[in-house]
Amino acid sequence: MERFKEHVKIDREKIFQLLEEGKNPSREDILEILRKAENKEKITHLDIAKLLHIEDADLVEKMFQIAGKIKKDVYGNRVVLFAPLYISDFCVNNCVYCGYKRENKFHRRRLTMEEIKKEVMILEEMGHKRLALEAGEDPVNCDIEYILEAIDTIYDTYNKNGKIRRINVNIAATTVENYRRLNEKGIGTYILFQETYDEEVYKKVHPKCLKGNYDYHTTSFDRAMEAGIEDVGAGVLFGLADPKFEVLGLVMHNEHLEKRFGVGFHTISVPRLRPAEGVNLETFPYLLDDETFKKIVTIIRIAVPYTGMILSTRETAEMREILLQHGISQVSAGSCTGVGGYEEHIKGRNVNQFATADERSPKQVIEDLMAAGYIPSYCTSCYRTGRVGEKFMEIAKSEKIHNLCKPNALTTLVEYAVDYGDKELLAKVEKFVKEQAATIENKKLEQFVLKNIDKLKAGERDLYL
Ligand code: SAM
């Protein structure tokens, strides 16, 4: 079937109209929408608008529970771990919310390939297998050739058993040709935050900059997918515009990609605006309090049940723990958000794009996750076995993903403990993994995990289904 070729167009007036129509929903309405959501029946834009207006505490609580159940059904108790790697803070843009904005005067730099290797070795020593490559936008000082070379360098850098197995890339909107070249390098997800779907706000917060072209930015995933990239990761910077508007924007954008390419967002990130150099948070009228943020994450989970949701160290350990119950499936750990940040951190200096709020080491994050009953996962197997894009979504929608992901996640956890844990952690992980493996219905898969414990201890690595 010939799919249509139009680029996405977010209908601003339509969103405002839906938000108006959805005001003051009746209890019966909300209960019916939540019933549909619980059964994973399709809910409409108007349904989502109504959920966004819920105020009654008992309905909010019911919605939290349903989102938690959806998350459990689709993702189980796995939590995927990753870290960002900032390679260049050159930026021609002047985004009002960002510490890298061009009017901030500081010594800018991009890492040499040698420096990238050093950063990667530190990340590998922490146990990371999955990175998000980050850079400011500067077609001269940080061109596509540099990004492509950096990707090669990262994939080629080993530290004992450490190896980066998936690089997700978060660079500015670019051309089909550049996306094609990124795809040829074997990137994981191409990530780009929309920042805001509200075109008027978008233009205000990106004054006089390359990034200020709303249409070019919003249609980037159309170009990326035309170029063959199958996994794209969206995000909104919460705090810039009305969060209710943003949720509908995300949902409409996702539906557009589903319609055009057969698959929507692989992930959605939910960053909240943080303090940064030269950024006065008091000038942003839509900063989200914790309660509203929880509702927003919950409604996104309900609206797009099969899309992974990512939370960064912009949030505190406590908030991250709460949001895992509401729908988050991936978190970063041990992050530095500055160029050369990992080495700088070891030396005790700090050069961040924005302030982080969870300073725990990956080891601590792993221990806390296990204590709360989650399986920390370094798995990258889907992408390496070709389970990407539409194929991944088919598996996710059949809810058979546990059969593959749980054994793989448990295996990567053991691998982490063997390589980076002490005796105590290894013993704790082994006990936890055996308990978790016992809950796998398919006994062959349970055996796969148990055998992997021995194989990994005997020196084998990188085992997956
Ligand atoms: N240059 C790329 C682009 O234009 O998309 C990469 C973006 S940057 C390295 C990653 C993200 O950090 C941005 O998309 C933005 O949402 C987020 N960010 C910028 N300033 C922030 C702040 N003060 N607080 C929280 N997040 C921020």
Side-chain angles (χ1 to χ4, degrees):
M1 187 184 69
E2 172 79 352
R3 284 186 172 136
F4 74 106
K5 295 203 170 65
E6 274 169 46
H7 281 182
V8 66
K9 185 95 197 105
I10 300 295
D11 188 339
R12 189 168 186 266
E13 292 318 309
K14 174 91 193 292
I15 295 184
F16 282 129
Q17 192 191 324
L18 282 164
L19 288 175
E20 199 48 45
E21 244 181 277
K23 274 185 181 160
N24 305 315
S26 69
R27 282 186 79 78
E28 292 67 43
D29 254 7
I30 295 296
L31 289 171
E32 172 56 13
I33 298 167
L34 290 178
R35 186 202 60 74
K36 284 198 276 181
E38 191 168 8
N39 294 319
K40 306 203 191 62
E41 291 169 30
K42 187 144 181 67
I43 57 174
T44 65
H45 294 162
L46 184 58
D47 290 340
I48 296 167
K50 288 179 180 170
L51 293 182
L52 288 163
H53 286 294
I54 300 184
E55 291 299 342
D56 291 352
D58 64 320
L59 292 178
V60 171
E61 191 47 46
K62 191 166 170 58
M63 183 164 75
F64 285 168
Q65 280 168 16
I66 287 171
K69 185 171 178 299
I70 291 174
K71 192 209 149 182
K72 222 167 156 206
D73 290 349
V74 178
Y75 288 90
N77 57 345
R78 292 168 300 108
V79 178
V80 170
L81 298 176
F82 75 99
L85 172 61
Y86 283 72
I87 59 169
S88 171
D89 53 22
F90 284 107
C91 198
V92 295
N93 292 318
N94 221 4
C95 315
V96 299
Y97 49 81
C98 182
Y100 285 177
K101 65 174 114 171
R102 108 184 144 236
E103 71 182 30
N104 276 353
K105 300 295 173 213
F106 62 96
H107 175 69
R108 294 180 189 256
R109 66 184 188 120
R110 71 179 202 186
L111 298 179
T112 62
M113 294 303 140
E114 262 322 295
E115 288 172 323
I116 289 177
K117 268 189 198 162
K118 275 193 195 157
E119 292 284 281
V120 172
M121 288 179 81
I122 296 171
L123 285 158
E124 288 170 345
E125 196 57 42
M126 290 183 197
H128 282 296
K129 301 281 184 274
R130 177 190 292 245
L131 297 186
L133 182 71
E134 307 277 343
E137 179 169 17
D138 188 327
V140 175
N141 293 302
C142 181
D143 59 1
I144 192 73
E145 305 300 334
Y146 170 71
I147 299 285
L148 297 172
E149 199 186 344
I151 293 170
D152 281 340
T153 304
I154 297 168
Y155 276 140
D156 288 345
T157 300
Y158 301 81
N159 186 354
K160 292 172 230 150
N161 289 327
K163 176 169 172 29
I164 299 305
R165 297 174 182 156
R166 177 178 177 124
I167 308 175
N168 297 331
V169 175
N170 180 195
I171 59 163
T174 185
T175 59
V176 174
E177 179 52 24
N178 286 347
Y179 286 129
R180 193 166 291 130
R181 296 181 70 193
L182 282 171
N183 195 36
E184 281 164 9
K185 287 286 172 207
I187 65 164
T189 310
Y190 170 63
I191 300 171
L192 183 69
F193 297 167
Q194 177 59 34
E195 318 301 3
T196 173
Y197 280 96
D198 184 330
E199 186 168 357
E200 287 196 4
V201 178
Y202 186 93
K203 287 183 173 153
K204 269 192 212 138
V205 298
H206 300 108
K208 295 197 191 112
C209 44
L210 259 187
K211 190 166 169 174
N213 184 335
Y214 177 85
D215 285 335
Y216 189 73
H217 191 81
T218 313
T219 54
S220 59
F221 290 156
D222 284 283
R223 291 190 298 284
M225 293 179 103
E226 278 169 31
I229 293 179
E230 293 189 71
D231 288 344
V232 296
V236 155
L237 182 53
F238 285 101
L240 299 180
D242 180 355
K244 295 187 174 76
F245 187 100
E246 307 292 22
V247 173
L248 286 165
L250 277 167
V251 167
M252 288 177 180
H253 194 176
N254 185 59
E255 281 174 4
H256 163 82
L257 296 178
E258 276 182 351
K259 206 162 135 196
R260 184 167 176 211
F261 298 100
V263 61
F265 303 142
H266 187 67
T267 53
I268 292 179
S269 297
V270 288
R272 268 198 294 184
L273 196 56
R274 296 280 300 150
E277 185 66 32
V279 178
N280 179 1
L281 289 191
E282 281 166 23
T283 58
F284 294 89
Y286 286 106
L287 294 182
L288 256 66
D289 60 70
D290 289 352
E291 284 313 304
T292 313
F293 189 46
K294 275 191 238 169
K295 271 204 242 174
I296 293 294
V297 169
T298 301
I299 296 170
I300 297 175
R301 175 71 303 146
I302 289 175
V304 286
Y306 302 103
T307 300
M309 279 180 80
I310 302 180
L311 194 66
S312 74
T313 56
R314 290 173 182 88
E315 299 298 331
T316 60
E318 294 73 34
M319 197 61 189
R320 278 153 56 98
E321 159 87 48
I322 292 170
L323 292 177
L324 281 171
Q325 298 161 33
H326 294 232
I328 296 297
S329 54
Q330 263 190 52
V331 296
S332 47
S335 307
C336 291
T337 64
V339 174
Y342 295 98
E343 212 190 352
E344 295 286 338
H345 191 74
I346 287 175
K347 290 181 191 155
R349 293 195 294 260
N350 237 340
V351 280
N352 287 344
Q353 184 200 14
F354 49 79
T356 49
D358 180 354
E359 307 301 337
R360 288 174 300 165
S361 65
K363 181 166 175 279
Q364 192 58 53
V365 171
I366 283 173
E367 296 209 41
D368 292 349
L369 283 172
M370 287 195 300
Y374 293 106
I375 306 172
S377 172
Y378 284 106
C379 183
T380 53
S381 94
C382 276
Y383 141 80
R384 291 189 298 149
T385 50
R387 288 189 295 265
V388 293
E390 223 170 332
K391 278 179 237 111
F392 172 83
M393 277 303 162
E394 264 169 35
I395 305 176
K397 287 183 182 171
S398 71
E399 290 178 15
K400 295 211 172 72
I401 197 129
H402 306 295
N403 296 343
L404 296 165
C405 297
K406 193 166 183 172
N408 282 339
L410 290 168
T411 302
T412 61
L413 178 58
V414 177
E415 184 178 0
Y416 171 86
V418 173
D419 279 340
Y420 307 105
D422 47 25
K423 255 194 186 156
E424 203 186 319
L425 183 73
L426 181 57
K428 214 190 258 183
V429 164
E430 247 193 273
K431 182 170 175 286
F432 176 81
V433 167
K434 283 180 182 160
E435 283 163 10
Q436 290 289 327
T439 67
I440 300 176
E441 272 172 36
N442 181 330
K443 291 300 142 196
K444 272 194 194 147
L445 295 176
E446 181 188 350
Q447 282 310 311
F448 167 80
V449 176
L450 298 179
K451 280 187 193 141
N452 283 349
I453 298 179
D454 295 333
K455 285 186 187 174
L456 289 161
K457 282 175 145 180
E460 283 188 56
R461 291 291 175 273
D462 202 12
L463 307 167
Y464 58 88
L465 293 165

